[in-house]
Amino acid sequence: MAKFTQIQAPKGVSEYFPDRSNVFEFVRDCLIGSAKSAGYRLIELPVFEDTDLFKRGVGESTDVVTKEMYTFEDRGGRSITLRPEGTAGVMRSVIEHNLDRGQLPVKVWYSGAFFRAERPQAGRYRQFYQVGVEAIGLNDPEIDVEVIAVAERAFQKLGLKNYTLEITSLGDKQSRELYTKELRAYISTLDLDEETARRAEINPLRLFDDKRDEIKNAMRNAPILLEYLTPESEAQFSRVQELLNDLGISFVVNKRMVRGLDYYTGTAFEFVHHGLGAQSGIGGGGRYDGLMEQLGGSALSGIGFGIGVDRCVLACEAEGIELPDHFILDLFLVPMSSEAKARALKLADGLRSAGLRVDLAYGDRSLKGGMKAADKSGARFSLVIGDDEIASDSVALKNMRTGESLSVKMSALEETLHRLLRETLGDR
Ligand code: HAM
């Protein structure tokens, strides 16, 4: 018979399966938990949108829009793009559903897959995962700092240490107008190829982003935006720094930070991890003053972040962070007969309803095979059920860490397990 060829995942996608999916889940839930604890509420959006949303929202000069979008025509002839980031879609939804007519700021979080056709490498994928938040409708340093703190507290909760928060300000419209004039004058003295000159024409800041040595060198003496802030923008940026200090959140000011998306204004930030090599940005975000208007909505400002779940997983692994206890199974049951299988299934069902994490051996296994499965499961306790156990209504509950066994009546299993787990782990 002809052998079918094996199908593999598309190039450059990240995927998680056991055991590593535990780390992914832990990281994602920690990030989401931090957002929820600050009153952010779920917004669940489509993974594909009208292509114009990203062209207009993310910016025509960005790598994301010019080179990295997965764009296709759907069956109705519409141009559709797989979302490369989350902010534009959130703004589209806020405008479309008038969410900004209620109480401000609108505070939402999201989590899911994003798509950029980048050259794959460690920590850079074509499908990757983000947890993001957006706070829309308020332009106060307090909310800037809240957003940064949500990310910072999540990283702390994960146990990450080896990273730095970098911040900057891209100023208000007036600051940027003044600065852009100076920057354009500087750029006009450079000898640029046509494509680069075109990008610089749309957004001269993009040249700071260029990876080519000749452009990097040429931009070394370019004027710096932070030095052109109006007194109001300067005051806002100082206040952000003051409030971060108040919360004990350490940071460095990175005068040369350039975010890869065009919509940023005012406060911008990045979390950079030192154990990840080239793809060191574990999260980033900032304020976007004109985005909502640009997408046909009112002139409200907003601020948010996107944190890369994949890169946080790598960061946790680089720092040797251990998973918390709730990823570990409490009990593994090994039934030895057909009657025992039914009994084990019922026991497991009852114990699960009582809040315990329980799994059992399926199929026909020898005692040795069953115990091997118990061992592999990583469960804290195991027990074997055979005809003798059913007849006596009691089992030997084995502590898989110490090897000790305890005889327990089946009816007392739930209570005994809760007690033993409390004794070893404290209140969960
Ligand atoms: P971003 O800086 O483009 O911002 O992406 C945020 C994070 O997503 C990055 O710091 C990185 O951890 C992760 N990331 C980006 N691209 C990749 C990739 N190809 N592979 C793996 N991880 C990646 C945004 O997306 C903005 N929407 C954030 C934001 C929200 N700004 C305001 N609100």
PDB file of all heavy atoms in Angstrom, residues 138-159:
ATOM      1  N   LEU A 138      -8.620  58.176  28.009  1.00  0.00           N
ATOM      2  CA  LEU A 138      -8.061  58.983  29.086  1.00  0.00           C
ATOM      3  C   LEU A 138      -6.600  59.245  28.746  1.00  0.00           C
ATOM      4  O   LEU A 138      -5.896  58.342  28.314  1.00  0.00           O
ATOM      5  CB  LEU A 138      -8.148  58.182  30.388  1.00  0.00           C
ATOM      6  CG  LEU A 138      -8.049  58.962  31.690  1.00  0.00           C
ATOM      7  CD1 LEU A 138      -9.314  59.790  31.898  1.00  0.00           C
ATOM      8  CD2 LEU A 138      -7.890  57.989  32.853  1.00  0.00           C
ATOM      9  N   ASN A 139      -6.167  60.493  28.945  1.00  0.00           N
ATOM     10  CA  ASN A 139      -4.759  60.803  28.671  1.00  0.00           C
ATOM     11  C   ASN A 139      -4.105  61.325  29.946  1.00  0.00           C
ATOM     12  O   ASN A 139      -3.774  62.498  30.051  1.00  0.00           O
ATOM     13  CB  ASN A 139      -4.684  61.836  27.540  1.00  0.00           C
ATOM     14  CG  ASN A 139      -3.260  62.033  27.068  1.00  0.00           C
ATOM     15  OD1 ASN A 139      -2.335  61.396  27.575  1.00  0.00           O
ATOM     16  ND2 ASN A 139      -3.063  62.934  26.116  1.00  0.00           N
ATOM     17  N   ASP A 140      -3.966  60.460  30.924  1.00  0.00           N
ATOM     18  CA  ASP A 140      -3.369  60.826  32.205  1.00  0.00           C
ATOM     19  C   ASP A 140      -2.143  59.973  32.468  1.00  0.00           C
ATOM     20  O   ASP A 140      -2.155  58.777  32.184  1.00  0.00           O
ATOM     21  CB  ASP A 140      -4.363  60.537  33.344  1.00  0.00           C
ATOM     22  CG  ASP A 140      -5.443  61.587  33.435  1.00  0.00           C
ATOM     23  OD1 ASP A 140      -5.318  62.609  32.741  1.00  0.00           O
ATOM     24  OD2 ASP A 140      -6.398  61.366  34.198  1.00  0.00           O
ATOM     25  N   PRO A 141      -1.123  60.556  33.066  1.00  0.00           N
ATOM     26  CA  PRO A 141       0.062  59.750  33.411  1.00  0.00           C
ATOM     27  C   PRO A 141      -0.292  58.583  34.330  1.00  0.00           C
ATOM     28  O   PRO A 141       0.355  57.539  34.282  1.00  0.00           O
ATOM     29  CB  PRO A 141       0.963  60.750  34.139  1.00  0.00           C
ATOM     30  CG  PRO A 141       0.515  62.093  33.685  1.00  0.00           C
ATOM     31  CD  PRO A 141      -0.943  61.986  33.388  1.00  0.00           C
ATOM     32  N   GLU A 142      -1.354  58.743  35.137  1.00  0.00           N
ATOM     33  CA  GLU A 142      -1.736  57.672  36.077  1.00  0.00           C
ATOM     34  C   GLU A 142      -2.104  56.388  35.330  1.00  0.00           C
ATOM     35  O   GLU A 142      -1.734  55.297  35.744  1.00  0.00           O
ATOM     36  CB  GLU A 142      -2.919  58.099  36.963  1.00  0.00           C
ATOM     37  CG  GLU A 142      -2.574  59.093  38.048  1.00  0.00           C
ATOM     38  CD  GLU A 142      -2.335  60.508  37.533  1.00  0.00           C
ATOM     39  OE1 GLU A 142      -2.711  60.812  36.385  1.00  0.00           O
ATOM     40  OE2 GLU A 142      -1.741  61.315  38.281  1.00  0.00           O
ATOM     41  N   ILE A 143      -2.837  56.550  34.226  1.00  0.00           N
ATOM     42  CA  ILE A 143      -3.254  55.346  33.502  1.00  0.00           C
ATOM     43  C   ILE A 143      -2.054  54.763  32.733  1.00  0.00           C
ATOM     44  O   ILE A 143      -1.925  53.542  32.606  1.00  0.00           O
ATOM     45  CB  ILE A 143      -4.494  55.609  32.599  1.00  0.00           C
ATOM     46  CG1 ILE A 143      -5.111  54.300  32.113  1.00  0.00           C
ATOM     47  CG2 ILE A 143      -4.197  56.477  31.433  1.00  0.00           C
ATOM     48  CD1 ILE A 143      -6.080  53.698  33.045  1.00  0.00           C
ATOM     49  N   ASP A 144      -1.142  55.623  32.287  1.00  0.00           N
ATOM     50  CA  ASP A 144       0.083  55.118  31.647  1.00  0.00           C
ATOM     51  C   ASP A 144       0.802  54.186  32.630  1.00  0.00           C
ATOM     52  O   ASP A 144       1.238  53.089  32.267  1.00  0.00           O
ATOM     53  CB  ASP A 144       1.049  56.262  31.299  1.00  0.00           C
ATOM     54  CG  ASP A 144       0.509  57.171  30.199  1.00  0.00           C
ATOM     55  OD1 ASP A 144      -0.681  57.066  29.874  1.00  0.00           O
ATOM     56  OD2 ASP A 144       1.280  57.990  29.670  1.00  0.00           O
ATOM     57  N   VAL A 145       0.890  54.672  33.856  1.00  0.00           N
ATOM     58  CA  VAL A 145       1.641  53.911  34.853  1.00  0.00           C
ATOM     59  C   VAL A 145       0.877  52.649  35.249  1.00  0.00           C
ATOM     60  O   VAL A 145       1.478  51.592  35.470  1.00  0.00           O
ATOM     61  CB  VAL A 145       1.971  54.810  36.068  1.00  0.00           C
ATOM     62  CG1 VAL A 145       2.535  54.000  37.215  1.00  0.00           C
ATOM     63  CG2 VAL A 145       2.974  55.878  35.635  1.00  0.00           C
ATOM     64  N   GLU A 146      -0.454  52.732  35.284  1.00  0.00           N
ATOM     65  CA  GLU A 146      -1.222  51.513  35.595  1.00  0.00           C
ATOM     66  C   GLU A 146      -0.932  50.425  34.554  1.00  0.00           C
ATOM     67  O   GLU A 146      -0.684  49.261  34.897  1.00  0.00           O
ATOM     68  CB  GLU A 146      -2.722  51.790  35.599  1.00  0.00           C
ATOM     69  CG  GLU A 146      -3.505  50.490  35.765  1.00  0.00           C
ATOM     70  CD  GLU A 146      -5.011  50.652  35.733  1.00  0.00           C
ATOM     71  OE1 GLU A 146      -5.567  51.134  36.735  1.00  0.00           O
ATOM     72  OE2 GLU A 146      -5.625  50.291  34.709  1.00  0.00           O
ATOM     73  N   VAL A 147      -0.945  50.818  33.275  1.00  0.00           N
ATOM     74  CA  VAL A 147      -0.721  49.836  32.206  1.00  0.00           C
ATOM     75  C   VAL A 147       0.673  49.208  32.343  1.00  0.00           C
ATOM     76  O   VAL A 147       0.831  47.983  32.269  1.00  0.00           O
ATOM     77  CB  VAL A 147      -0.909  50.510  30.817  1.00  0.00           C
ATOM     78  CG1 VAL A 147      -0.355  49.640  29.699  1.00  0.00           C
ATOM     79  CG2 VAL A 147      -2.390  50.792  30.569  1.00  0.00           C
ATOM     80  N   ILE A 148       1.659  50.043  32.592  1.00  0.00           N
ATOM     81  CA  ILE A 148       3.029  49.511  32.753  1.00  0.00           C
ATOM     82  C   ILE A 148       3.084  48.586  33.972  1.00  0.00           C
ATOM     83  O   ILE A 148       3.693  47.511  33.929  1.00  0.00           O
ATOM     84  CB  ILE A 148       4.047  50.670  32.896  1.00  0.00           C
ATOM     85  CG1 ILE A 148       4.110  51.468  31.588  1.00  0.00           C
ATOM     86  CG2 ILE A 148       5.427  50.138  33.279  1.00  0.00           C
ATOM     87  CD1 ILE A 148       4.964  52.733  31.649  1.00  0.00           C
ATOM     88  N   ALA A 149       2.389  48.999  35.045  1.00  0.00           N
ATOM     89  CA  ALA A 149       2.422  48.202  36.283  1.00  0.00           C
ATOM     90  C   ALA A 149       1.754  46.837  36.095  1.00  0.00           C
ATOM     91  O   ALA A 149       2.199  45.841  36.674  1.00  0.00           O
ATOM     92  CB  ALA A 149       1.750  48.966  37.423  1.00  0.00           C
ATOM     93  N   VAL A 150       0.703  46.780  35.267  1.00  0.00           N
ATOM     94  CA  VAL A 150       0.036  45.491  35.022  1.00  0.00           C
ATOM     95  C   VAL A 150       1.034  44.506  34.417  1.00  0.00           C
ATOM     96  O   VAL A 150       1.107  43.334  34.814  1.00  0.00           O
ATOM     97  CB  VAL A 150      -1.200  45.678  34.097  1.00  0.00           C
ATOM     98  CG1 VAL A 150      -1.687  44.345  33.560  1.00  0.00           C
ATOM     99  CG2 VAL A 150      -2.329  46.381  34.842  1.00  0.00           C
ATOM    100  N   ALA A 151       1.848  44.998  33.470  1.00  0.00           N
ATOM    101  CA  ALA A 151       2.860  44.127  32.851  1.00  0.00           C
ATOM    102  C   ALA A 151       3.946  43.767  33.866  1.00  0.00           C
ATOM    103  O   ALA A 151       4.294  42.593  34.038  1.00  0.00           O
ATOM    104  CB  ALA A 151       3.472  44.832  31.643  1.00  0.00           C
ATOM    105  N   GLU A 152       4.436  44.770  34.562  1.00  0.00           N
ATOM    106  CA  GLU A 152       5.525  44.559  35.529  1.00  0.00           C
ATOM    107  C   GLU A 152       5.122  43.543  36.609  1.00  0.00           C
ATOM    108  O   GLU A 152       5.879  42.629  36.940  1.00  0.00           O
ATOM    109  CB  GLU A 152       5.887  45.912  36.159  1.00  0.00           C
ATOM    110  CG  GLU A 152       6.786  45.853  37.378  1.00  0.00           C
ATOM    111  CD  GLU A 152       8.243  45.539  37.058  1.00  0.00           C
ATOM    112  OE1 GLU A 152       8.617  45.592  35.882  1.00  0.00           O
ATOM    113  OE2 GLU A 152       8.981  45.230  38.007  1.00  0.00           O
ATOM    114  N   ARG A 153       3.908  43.700  37.140  1.00  0.00           N
ATOM    115  CA  ARG A 153       3.465  42.782  38.214  1.00  0.00           C
ATOM    116  C   ARG A 153       3.311  41.353  37.678  1.00  0.00           C
ATOM    117  O   ARG A 153       3.556  40.385  38.394  1.00  0.00           O
ATOM    118  CB  ARG A 153       2.151  43.266  38.841  1.00  0.00           C
ATOM    119  CG  ARG A 153       2.234  44.642  39.507  1.00  0.00           C
ATOM    120  CD  ARG A 153       3.365  44.757  40.515  1.00  0.00           C
ATOM    121  NE  ARG A 153       3.486  46.109  41.067  1.00  0.00           N
ATOM    122  CZ  ARG A 153       4.654  46.688  41.348  1.00  0.00           C
ATOM    123  NH1 ARG A 153       5.797  46.069  41.148  1.00  0.00           N
ATOM    124  NH2 ARG A 153       4.676  47.911  41.853  1.00  0.00           N
ATOM    125  N   ALA A 154       2.885  41.248  36.426  1.00  0.00           N
ATOM    126  CA  ALA A 154       2.752  39.902  35.839  1.00  0.00           C
ATOM    127  C   ALA A 154       4.126  39.250  35.716  1.00  0.00           C
ATOM    128  O   ALA A 154       4.297  38.075  36.059  1.00  0.00           O
ATOM    129  CB  ALA A 154       2.079  39.986  34.470  1.00  0.00           C
ATOM    130  N   PHE A 155       5.110  40.007  35.265  1.00  0.00           N
ATOM    131  CA  PHE A 155       6.465  39.442  35.133  1.00  0.00           C
ATOM    132  C   PHE A 155       7.000  39.025  36.501  1.00  0.00           C
ATOM    133  O   PHE A 155       7.643  37.988  36.633  1.00  0.00           O
ATOM    134  CB  PHE A 155       7.419  40.455  34.483  1.00  0.00           C
ATOM    135  CG  PHE A 155       7.090  40.766  33.043  1.00  0.00           C
ATOM    136  CD1 PHE A 155       7.238  42.044  32.533  1.00  0.00           C
ATOM    137  CD2 PHE A 155       6.631  39.768  32.186  1.00  0.00           C
ATOM    138  CE1 PHE A 155       6.937  42.331  31.209  1.00  0.00           C
ATOM    139  CE2 PHE A 155       6.329  40.039  30.859  1.00  0.00           C
ATOM    140  CZ  PHE A 155       6.481  41.325  30.374  1.00  0.00           C
ATOM    141  N   GLN A 156       6.707  39.858  37.506  1.00  0.00           N
ATOM    142  CA  GLN A 156       7.160  39.507  38.861  1.00  0.00           C
ATOM    143  C   GLN A 156       6.499  38.236  39.334  1.00  0.00           C
ATOM    144  O   GLN A 156       7.123  37.375  39.943  1.00  0.00           O
ATOM    145  CB  GLN A 156       6.850  40.644  39.833  1.00  0.00           C
ATOM    146  CG  GLN A 156       7.835  41.784  39.719  1.00  0.00           C
ATOM    147  CD  GLN A 156       7.473  42.962  40.593  1.00  0.00           C
ATOM    148  OE1 GLN A 156       6.377  43.027  41.158  1.00  0.00           O
ATOM    149  NE2 GLN A 156       8.373  43.906  40.697  1.00  0.00           N
ATOM    150  N   LYS A 157       5.194  38.137  39.068  1.00  0.00           N
ATOM    151  CA  LYS A 157       4.453  36.956  39.507  1.00  0.00           C
ATOM    152  C   LYS A 157       4.992  35.689  38.838  1.00  0.00           C
ATOM    153  O   LYS A 157       5.033  34.613  39.436  1.00  0.00           O
ATOM    154  CB  LYS A 157       2.972  37.141  39.190  1.00  0.00           C
ATOM    155  CG  LYS A 157       2.088  36.331  40.070  1.00  0.00           C
ATOM    156  CD  LYS A 157       0.747  36.968  40.315  1.00  0.00           C
ATOM    157  CE  LYS A 157      -0.050  36.070  41.234  1.00  0.00           C
ATOM    158  NZ  LYS A 157      -1.387  35.829  40.744  1.00  0.00           N
ATOM    159  N   LEU A 158       5.402  35.841  37.587  1.00  0.00           N
ATOM    160  CA  LEU A 158       6.007  34.692  36.894  1.00  0.00           C
ATOM    161  C   LEU A 158       7.338  34.311  37.529  1.00  0.00           C
ATOM    162  O   LEU A 158       7.805  33.192  37.373  1.00  0.00           O
ATOM    163  CB  LEU A 158       6.262  35.041  35.422  1.00  0.00           C
ATOM    164  CG  LEU A 158       5.054  35.077  34.494  1.00  0.00           C
ATOM    165  CD1 LEU A 158       5.453  35.618  33.131  1.00  0.00           C
ATOM    166  CD2 LEU A 158       4.462  33.685  34.343  1.00  0.00           C
ATOM    167  N   GLY A 159       7.949  35.280  38.209  1.00  0.00           N
ATOM    168  CA  GLY A 159       9.247  35.018  38.840  1.00  0.00           C
ATOM    169  C   GLY A 159      10.404  35.517  37.988  1.00  0.00           C
ATOM    170  O   GLY A 159      11.565  35.229  38.280  1.00  0.00           O
TER     171      GLY A 159
END
